[in-house]
Amino acid sequence: MADEKTADAKTADELAAGRPSAALVVAQAVGFLYPAALRAAAAAGVADHLVDGPRTPAELAAATGKDAGALHRVLRLLSTRGLFAEDDRGRFRLTPAGDALRSDAPVSARSAVLMLTDPTMWRPAGEMSRCLTDGGSAFDAIFGMPFFDHFARDAATAAVFHAGMASMSDAENAPIAAAYDFPDGARVVDVGGGYGGLLGEVLAAGPTLHGVLYDRAHVLAGHRLATPPPHGADPQGRWETVEGDFFAAVPTGDVLMLKRILHDWDDEQCVTVLRHCRAALSPGGRVLVIDAVIPPGNEPHQGKDLDLMMMASLTGRERTEADFAALLARAGLRLHRVHPTPTVLSIVESRATPTP
């Protein structure tokens, strides 16, 4: 009988010790509802209607054409993390932390939110177990084709992606451009540079530089280099656009930049792109891979989150410094230095390995 009481007491102690863990795991499991609410608010454009001050859910519903009760519940959750705040009269205001949800904010993240929570990202993430079972992207099985093939056939989704990438970049381009000392008079090629946000900041900071924005024709059609900084380039005409495919060739230059490019692709595809960059380098030139560099240890790092997005929707991944060194070596390049930036991205600088 004493042994049974001891066993019961031990079981009770184990249960008591295990409850905090269970509560934590359950709390984390419902965490997906926050980005779902964030997407709903961004899609409704709620933040744009709070510029002039707080409003009730009924007033916001009338302005956005949404249901007042549902809108209140969404904003109540978002207020728990400081993007909105509810007062004692039931009105919601936009906080400084949530200001980037405005479509007309100086640095707006609204398009980035809509891209990151788009079904092309959301659905594969929800079926990540496919990756563990099959070893590849979940995207192909869900949409019937690879990620970029789908975009090539769906102009509306492609537009969401490119606008979202530009939105993500707007907040990070200036700090990245300032984190590297570009050589005077260099020809800087932004490989797969999208709308040219980073190249614009580089040119604005370096008055002797000449820039080349290299991407597919349909992407270049939306470039912003003709507009003034902060999101465009110097209006003095020190730039040009070149259409092409970085899997086939890369324009020659003194500095070749690859921002958020290699993380989309598997190792073999990355080596192909890097070999084209190696062949296009002017003597003494350098290749700058601008991506998240996963640090060792268990500390949070946004690159670890993005790595799972890459796994679920694409063929690529976020990489460690050692991973980059190995890729570069296969392409005839050597890692020279990793430059940290104030953003989640680092600048992995490489130079050509001397030819024997």
Side-chain angles (χ1 to χ4, degrees):
M1 185 67 70
D3 289 343
E4 290 181 7
K5 290 182 178 179
T6 301
D8 289 344
K10 181 178 180 181
T11 300
D13 289 342
E14 289 175 343
L15 288 173
R19 288 189 186 104
S21 173
L24 174 63
V25 170
V26 169
Q28 292 185 353
V30 299
F32 73 95
L33 294 168
Y34 184 83
L38 187 59
R39 175 177 178 80
V46 172
D48 289 355
H49 297 281
L50 292 175
V51 175
D52 296 327
R55 304 179 75 173
T56 66
E59 292 170 333
L60 289 169
T64 60
K66 306 302 178 185
D67 179 81
L71 194 55
H72 176 265
R73 293 158 75 178
V74 165
L75 292 175
R76 181 172 59 190
L77 176 60
L78 295 178
S79 295
T80 65
R81 299 200 192 178
L83 300 187
F84 299 90
E86 184 178 10
D87 63 23
D88 56 7
R89 296 169 56 185
R91 302 178 306 171
F92 286 90
R93 64 178 174 84
L94 184 65
T95 68
D99 189 65
L101 279 173
R102 289 168 36 216
S103 58
D104 62 348
V107 182
S108 175
R110 180 172 179 256
S111 293
V113 170
L114 295 176
M115 176 197 70
L116 292 169
T117 58
D118 186 80
T120 52
M121 302 292 187
W122 188 271
R123 289 181 59 192
E127 298 193 34
M128 194 174 295
S129 58
R130 288 178 181 267
C131 303
L132 304 183
T133 302
D134 304 332
S137 165
F139 189 98
D140 299 34
I142 296 170
F143 291 95
M145 64 188 74
F147 186 86
F148 287 110
D149 290 352
H150 176 70
F151 279 16
R153 299 187 184 191
D154 187 336
T157 301
V160 170
F161 176 78
H162 291 301
M165 287 303 300
S167 176
M168 282 185 68
S169 295
D170 284 345
E172 62 194 17
N173 284 332
I176 290 171
Y180 186 77
D181 186 16
F182 289 84
D184 288 342
R187 176 180 166 91
V188 181
V189 182
D190 196 352
V191 179
Y195 292 164
L198 175 60
L199 184 60
E201 295 288 358
V202 169
L203 294 179
T208 68
L209 303 177
H210 179 83
V212 179
L213 182 62
Y214 183 63
D215 215 314
R216 298 293 187 106
H218 70 277
V219 179
L220 293 177
H223 82 79
R224 302 182 304 191
L225 291 176
T227 62
H231 303 317
D234 188 294
Q236 300 304 312
R238 294 182 289 110
W239 54 268
E240 61 185 289
T241 61
V242 177
E243 298 175 10
D245 176 1
F246 50 58
F247 284 116
V250 171
T252 58
D254 303 301
V255 180
L256 275 57
M257 304 190 299
L258 293 154
K259 178 171 178 277
R260 292 193 187 270
I261 299 296
L262 295 191
H263 76 158
D264 289 341
W265 307 100
D266 64 33
D267 287 357
E268 295 304 318
Q269 292 166 314
C270 289
V271 170
T272 296
V273 175
L274 288 169
R275 283 175 177 161
H276 290 313
C277 291
R278 169 67 176 84
L281 273 183
S282 301
R286 69 278 314 258
V287 176
L288 307 182
V289 175
I290 304 169
D291 260 327
V293 177
I294 302 295
N298 300 315
E299 294 303 312
H301 189 277
Q302 191 185 85
K304 297 176 182 178
D305 300 87
L306 295 176
D307 183 50
L308 294 189
M309 180 177 288
M310 298 300 106
M311 182 176 75
S313 288
L314 290 134
T315 63
R317 61 192 177 99
E318 306 298 342
R319 294 176 169 88
T320 65
E321 182 174 339
D323 292 331
F324 281 116
L327 284 182
L328 293 165
R330 291 179 59 192
L333 297 160
R334 59 179 175 82
L335 194 154
H336 178 69
R337 181 183 169 191
V338 176
H339 304 260
T341 79
T343 77
V344 70
L345 305 182
S346 295
I347 301 172
V348 180
E349 179 185 357
S350 65
R351 306 191 181 188
T353 302
T355 304

